[in-house]
């Protein structure tokens, strides 16, 4: 599986960005897909995930109500719509795929494939 993340950039606080992650190589539709982020000097942290099948979504508390994760299995793509961005959202954002069926986990080590990361910078 190869994951290609895109859509990062520089935005002012309060603004919006949409990240995309295109997957190739295997049956995308059966994976749980997630977004993580890593700020300078900090550990990689869970942001959001979307389960295959029923499309259940999960969010880290600080992004609830501001970020929305979605997927388009026909396009093998997962999205992260980020609204009301804050300077503390500044980080490199990574998409990830978990091959294990029927679960959602928030630990980075549990994910099998990773995209290359895309930088999001939110200015105050």
């Amino acid at each position: 599986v190869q994951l290609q993340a895109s859509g990062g950039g520089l935005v002012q606080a309060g603004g919006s960005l949409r990240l995309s992650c295109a997957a190739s190589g295997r049956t995308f539709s059966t994976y749980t897909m997630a977004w993580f982020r890593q700020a300078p000097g900090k550990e990689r942290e869970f942001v959001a995930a979307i389960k295959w099948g029923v499309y259940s979504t999960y969010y880290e508390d600080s992004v609830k109500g501001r970020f929305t994760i979605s997927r388009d299995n026909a396009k093998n793509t997962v999205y992260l719509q980020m609204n009301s961005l804050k300077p503390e959202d500044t980080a490199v954002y990574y998409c990830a795929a978990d091959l294990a069926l029927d679960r959602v986990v928030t630990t980075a080590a549990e994910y099998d494939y990773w995209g290359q990361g895309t930088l999001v910078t939110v200015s105050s």
Side-chain angles (χ1 to χ4, degrees):
V1 173
Q2 293 184 332
L3 303 178
Q4 181 72 36
S6 62
L10 173 64
V11 63
Q12 288 188 334
S16 299
L17 282 174
R18 188 175 82 155
L19 306 183
S20 299
C21 177
S24 62
R26 289 184 63 168
T27 306
F28 170 82
S29 62
T30 60
Y31 304 161
T32 290
M33 298 295 297
W35 289 94
F36 286 76
R37 65 187 178 186
Q38 188 165 18
K42 295 187 176 182
E43 293 187 353
R44 193 168 297 189
E45 66 172 0
F46 172 81
V47 175
I50 184 165
K51 192 175 176 181
W52 75 282
V54 295
Y55 287 26
S56 300
T57 57
Y58 304 82
Y59 298 94
E60 192 270 329
D61 286 346
S62 70
V63 307
K64 285 180 181 177
R66 300 189 298 123
F67 291 10
T68 302
I69 189 171
S70 62
R71 66 192 295 165
D72 185 336
N73 285 341
K75 296 182 178 179
N76 284 354
T77 301
V78 63
Y79 305 97
L80 185 68
Q81 177 66 44
M82 305 185 295
N83 299 329
S84 302
L85 282 161
K86 304 175 180 180
E88 51 264 44
D89 294 318
T90 295
V92 176
Y93 283 71
Y94 299 88
C95 59
D98 178 9
L99 301 187
L101 296 178
D102 201 28
R103 75 173 187 181
V104 173
V105 293
T106 60
T107 304
E110 298 288 344
Y111 283 79
D112 301 288
Y113 295 99
W114 291 86
Q116 84 287 5
T118 185
L119 176 62
V120 172
T121 303
V122 184
S123 63
S124 57

